[in-house]
Amino acid sequence: MSSDPVARKAKYLPMIPETIGGGGALYGFFADRGVRETIESVVVAVLLALLFRGFIGEAFQIPTGSMAPGLRGHHVDLTCEKCGLLYQTGASSENNLTPVNSRQPTTKTYCPVCGYRTTLDRDDQPDHRANQGDRILVNKYIYDFQEPRRFDVIVFKNPNNGKQNLIKRLCGLPGENITISRGDLYTSDIDGDNRQIVRKPPEKQLAMLQLVDDTNFRAKEMRDAGWPEYWTGGQNSSWKIVEQESKTVFSADAREATAPAWLRFRNMRPHTEVGPTYTDTSGRQHYSEGTVEWEEYVTSLKLPPRIRDFEGRLISDYYGYNQLELQVGRAQKAFHPSPGNHWVGDLAIEATLQTGSKTGSLLLDLVEGGAHFSCTIDLAAGTGQFECDDPEVQFCDAAGVSGEPPSGFFVPLGSAATLLFCNADNRLLLWVNGRLVETPGSFFNRPEVFYPSSSADDPGDAMPCGVGIVGGAVELSRLKVLRDVYYVAQRGENQNIQNETGVPDYIINSIHGSPKMWNSTDGKALFDASLRSGRPMFIIPEGCYFPMGDNSPESKDARIWEGPNYFRRELLIGRAMLVYWPHSLNRPVPFTPNFNQMRSIK
């Protein structure tokens, strides 16, 4: 055989059909080295993608908001035109899984920090249009090498519909009996004895915190109306509150003080008063909207009557993601309430600070049920101490062995730092600049039955977050209040998972905003209804798992499934690892990649 390539080409040219521009052209196309390598690369990439999809990982798109706000389904991204906060609102009722004749577009949204209601203009405002849900990458082989871990975000087949994939958080493990009480998870014996609270690992806890307030986002109209600052030092306080470049800055010089100068948070967000429900002629249930405080008062530079003598309001399981209005049919409006029906006592405070001295002590304080949980940082020594003023709170280690609260642990505090102090699942945690500070023995036990409290001497749960300084000076450029996920206790025979108490929403709102009612008969009855100390209990057989969504009021998860409240191991697809492609941005040009929202999943 000739080794001359030109001779070989001449030999085989007559055998090539003259279908595309003649045999020579077709031969030349396939003989070109660059084209051939491109085709080979595409074929190899397709084969690798199929191999990856079948045996290693697979991409999924989230359709609904059951894991919001951390993982979003079909939603609207908005920047509040009043306070500047970027937030998301659900739009699952108009995604591609909803039949066209049943879709209910989101028409209005509410800012979760300042409460301003935005009417969506989808014709002229591209940013007001709904976006597809997050696209995630799922590791399909990880559970071949390790057992599923509690609080992993997992994807699995719906046990009631094998064609549907679900994404939830793994909350109950094989062989466990799970009880939900006051938003927390407990394991116990089948008869309810030996109850133990379930604690989230620190990295999961950090990822699951929900924003309540951020001092970097304040609406000018609220200031012009005389709306009080959410954080206050009270009369004759050492704290000074000033505005610098549209940001709130708090500073205090207490170097000569012998007692802490406190700055405390009150939950003062403008809100929409939700009235009693009513049913229209078609049988559809609606909520009476009541008063939208922004439209009734703030835009008129007036204060609502409740603010003039405001004492405080409980922090609830309010989800800005769920606070929206829908268009039903051509003219009918449906108000979708999410006022937060349950008191959340598991809170966190984040403070970005600069210390003006290396003397004195900085104090962080969180109140739950009248008990003050504090972290005291010695600015000179760089050490910290946890405490609680309630004698019924007993600190212990991870095994439950009682001991003294942690003290003397190192806090890596320079001249500037961001601290996050958290009380959740009967455990105290501290992060400095995003890194967890090791504090062995920071678990605690307390009686499960307790109520919010407030008095003239101690505002307690009416002002549940505080920052204090004594013997030193400090400046805070940003303060955040966050809350833990609150799991609503419910089971399949009751589909209304918005409210487990059985008390109408407008009555709950009234009690939450009236500290004098917290210790009344009606107040205690409301909080007792959220305890659910004995029920519901979810019994999980061996080889099965109990999943729930982070957006508990809107998650149609194992709590309300028809049939068993669990799924079998063989239905588990894998663990969600990465949001690899969030929806594109409209700026600076359409379809700009949204790199800031590409993130790992905790």
Side-chain angles (χ1 to χ4, degrees), residues 328-341:
V328 181
R330 294 185 176 181
Q332 190 178 22
K333 182 191 73 173
F335 178 64
H336 186 129
S338 180
N341 292 304

Side-chain angles (χ1 to χ4, degrees), residues 445-512:
N445 294 311
R446 71 181 301 187
E448 287 187 36
V449 180
F450 54 85
Y451 305 98
S453 67
S454 180
S455 68
D457 297 329
D458 180 4
D461 295 272
M463 303 176 76
C465 306
V467 179
I469 184 72
V470 59
V474 68
E475 179 180 277
L476 307 177
S477 58
R478 190 174 192 179
L479 285 168
K480 290 183 183 179
V481 176
L482 306 106
R483 67 168 180 85
D484 192 16
V485 166
Y486 186 104
Y487 290 115
V488 180
Q490 206 56 269
R491 48 183 321 121
E493 62 263 21
N494 188 343
Q495 299 292 317
N496 177 22
I497 58 176
Q498 288 276 350
N499 182 355
E500 70 187 4
T501 66
V503 180
D505 294 353
Y506 70 99
I507 295 179
I508 294 175
N509 283 336
S510 176
I511 294 176
H512 279 191

Side-chain angles (χ1 to χ4, degrees), residues 267 271 273 306 309-315 462 506-518 526-527:
N267 183 14
H271 59 258
E273 297 283 356
R306 71 178 182 93
D309 298 316
F310 188 79
E311 296 180 9
R313 182 179 182 84
L314 294 176
I315 293 175
Y506 70 99
I507 295 179
I508 294 175
N509 283 336
S510 176
I511 294 176
H512 279 191
S514 304
K516 292 183 176 63
M517 296 184 66
W518 295 347
L526 170 64
F527 302 125

Side-chain angles (χ1 to χ4, degrees), residues 71-140:
L71 295 172
R72 300 136 192 173
H74 207 76
H75 68 282
V76 179
D77 258 330
L78 279 177
T79 298
C80 178
E81 63 181 270
K82 298 302 182 182
C83 73
L85 177 75
L86 173 65
Y87 68 96
Q88 293 77 35
T89 298
S92 299
S93 59
E94 54 183 296
N95 63 29
N96 292 333
L97 297 180
T98 305
V100 175
N101 58 353
S102 300
R103 292 179 186 173
Q104 301 174 357
T106 299
T107 57
K108 296 182 181 180
T109 73
Y110 292 76
C111 175
V113 167
C114 78
Y116 179 71
R117 178 166 68 173
T118 297
T119 300
L120 300 181
D121 181 3
R122 297 190 175 185
D123 293 331
D124 298 326
Q125 297 288 340
D127 289 344
H128 287 191
R129 297 166 191 166
N131 304 295
Q132 296 294 324
D134 290 337
R135 294 173 177 86
I136 63 170
L137 190 64
V138 176
N139 189 328
K140 298 173 66 174

Side-chain angles (χ1 to χ4, degrees), residues 6-19:
V6 176
R8 290 203 307 272
K9 176 178 178 181
K11 178 179 179 181
Y12 290 106
L13 266 176
M15 300 175 61
I16 301 176
E18 297 184 9
T19 55

Side-chain angles (χ1 to χ4, degrees), residues 239 244 249-252 351-358 362 379 413-418 469 473-478:
W239 286 94
Q244 294 182 2
V249 177
F250 308 86
S251 62
T352 300
L353 59 93
Q354 288 186 329
T355 54
S357 66
K358 285 296 183 181
L362 178 73
L379 296 176
L413 226 140
S415 58
T418 297
I469 184 72
V474 68
E475 179 180 277
L476 307 177
S477 58
R478 190 174 192 179

Side-chain angles (χ1 to χ4, degrees), residues 270-468:
H271 59 258
T272 298
E273 297 283 356
V274 178
T277 60
Y278 67 92
T279 304
D280 63 21
T281 55
S282 65
R284 185 183 299 275
Q285 191 177 63
H286 299 264
Y287 287 80
S288 300
E289 184 176 291
T291 300
V292 181
E293 289 188 338
W294 257 96
E295 298 168 13
E296 183 79 10
Y297 299 105
V298 180
T299 55
S300 303
L301 302 183
K302 296 187 298 184
L303 289 178
R306 71 178 182 93
I307 294 298
R308 297 190 184 105
D309 298 316
F310 188 79
E311 296 180 9
R313 182 179 182 84
L314 294 176
I315 293 175
S316 66
D317 59 334
Y318 175 94
Y319 285 85
Y321 191 91
N322 302 338
Q323 190 78 354
L324 52 91
E325 294 182 23
L326 302 173
Q327 184 69 37
V328 181
R330 294 185 176 181
Q332 190 178 22
K333 182 191 73 173
F335 178 64
H336 186 129
S338 180
N341 292 304
H342 310 98
W343 165 46
V344 180
D346 285 2
L347 304 176
I349 177 176
E350 181 176 299
T352 300
L353 59 93
Q354 288 186 329
T355 54
S357 66
K358 285 296 183 181
T359 60
S361 296
L362 178 73
L363 301 92
L364 304 174
D365 185 48
L366 296 170
V367 183
E368 181 183 24
H372 288 260
F373 296 88
S374 62
C375 173
T376 302
I377 300 173
D378 187 319
L379 296 176
T383 58
Q385 177 177 351
F386 288 161
E387 293 178 287
C388 181
D389 66 350
D390 187 340
E392 292 190 315
V393 172
Q394 299 295 317
F395 281 87
C396 61
D397 61 18
V401 178
S402 298
E404 294 299 316
S407 63
F409 51 83
F410 175 62
V411 181
L413 226 140
S415 58
T418 297
L419 305 177
L420 195 155
F421 178 48
C422 176
N423 168 29
D425 302 334
N426 288 4
R427 182 184 187 182
L428 302 182
L429 294 165
L430 177 68
W431 287 267
V432 178
N433 295 328
R435 300 189 66 176
L436 181 70
V437 176
E438 294 298 328
T439 53
S442 62
F443 307 93
F444 62 86
N445 294 311
R446 71 181 301 187
E448 287 187 36
V449 180
F450 54 85
Y451 305 98
S453 67
S454 180
S455 68
D457 297 329
D458 180 4
D461 295 272
M463 303 176 76
C465 306
V467 179

Side-chain angles (χ1 to χ4, degrees), residues 119-354:
T119 300
L120 300 181
D121 181 3
R122 297 190 175 185
D123 293 331
D124 298 326
Q125 297 288 340
D127 289 344
H128 287 191
R129 297 166 191 166
N131 304 295
Q132 296 294 324
D134 290 337
R135 294 173 177 86
I136 63 170
L137 190 64
V138 176
N139 189 328
K140 298 173 66 174
Y141 76 92
I142 189 170
Y143 294 133
D144 291 335
F145 299 94
Q146 68 179 51
E147 287 301 307
R149 298 173 181 173
R150 196 192 312 273
F151 296 115
D152 280 355
V153 178
I154 57 172
V155 174
F156 57 96
K157 294 289 184 183
N158 186 341
N160 296 312
N161 179 5
K163 296 181 180 180
Q164 183 184 35
N165 299 320
L166 301 177
I167 180 169
K168 308 290 179 187
R169 198 174 290 276
L170 179 55
C171 294
L173 300 175
E176 289 185 335
N177 305 312
I178 294 290
T179 300
I180 304 173
S181 179
R182 193 173 267 162
D184 293 327
L185 305 182
Y186 292 80
T187 60
S188 70
D189 297 338
I190 191 66
D191 56 4
D193 294 334
N194 298 318
R195 281 165 59 96
Q196 299 291 329
I197 193 169
V198 175
R199 296 183 173 97
K200 307 174 190 68
E203 68 277 7
K204 303 288 187 182
Q205 182 66 73
L206 191 61
M208 295 170 70
L209 291 174
Q210 312 278 319
L211 180 66
V212 175
D213 183 59
D214 186 334
T215 60
N216 268 16
F217 301 98
R218 287 289 182 263
K220 179 179 181 299
E221 289 84 350
M222 292 176 62
R223 294 192 180 101
D224 292 343
W227 201 282
E229 175 57 50
Y230 297 13
W231 289 85
T232 178
Q235 295 181 351
N236 303 319
S237 171
S238 299
W239 286 94
K240 297 180 181 179
I241 304 174
V242 298
E243 300 301 319
Q244 294 182 2
E245 298 179 353
S246 301
K247 307 296 183 185
T248 307
V249 177
F250 308 86
S251 62
D253 188 339
R255 279 175 282 201
E256 303 300 324
T258 56
W262 283 104
L263 184 70
R264 291 200 169 277
F265 172 80
R266 292 180 296 176
N267 183 14
M268 299 187 68
R269 179 185 63 245
H271 59 258
T272 298
E273 297 283 356
V274 178
T277 60
Y278 67 92
T279 304
D280 63 21
T281 55
S282 65
R284 185 183 299 275
Q285 191 177 63
H286 299 264
Y287 287 80
S288 300
E289 184 176 291
T291 300
V292 181
E293 289 188 338
W294 257 96
E295 298 168 13
E296 183 79 10
Y297 299 105
V298 180
T299 55
S300 303
L301 302 183
K302 296 187 298 184
L303 289 178
R306 71 178 182 93
I307 294 298
R308 297 190 184 105
D309 298 316
F310 188 79
E311 296 180 9
R313 182 179 182 84
L314 294 176
I315 293 175
S316 66
D317 59 334
Y318 175 94
Y319 285 85
Y321 191 91
N322 302 338
Q323 190 78 354
L324 52 91
E325 294 182 23
L326 302 173
Q327 184 69 37
V328 181
R330 294 185 176 181
Q332 190 178 22
K333 182 191 73 173
F335 178 64
H336 186 129
S338 180
N341 292 304
H342 310 98
W343 165 46
V344 180
D346 285 2
L347 304 176
I349 177 176
E350 181 176 299
T352 300
L353 59 93
Q354 288 186 329

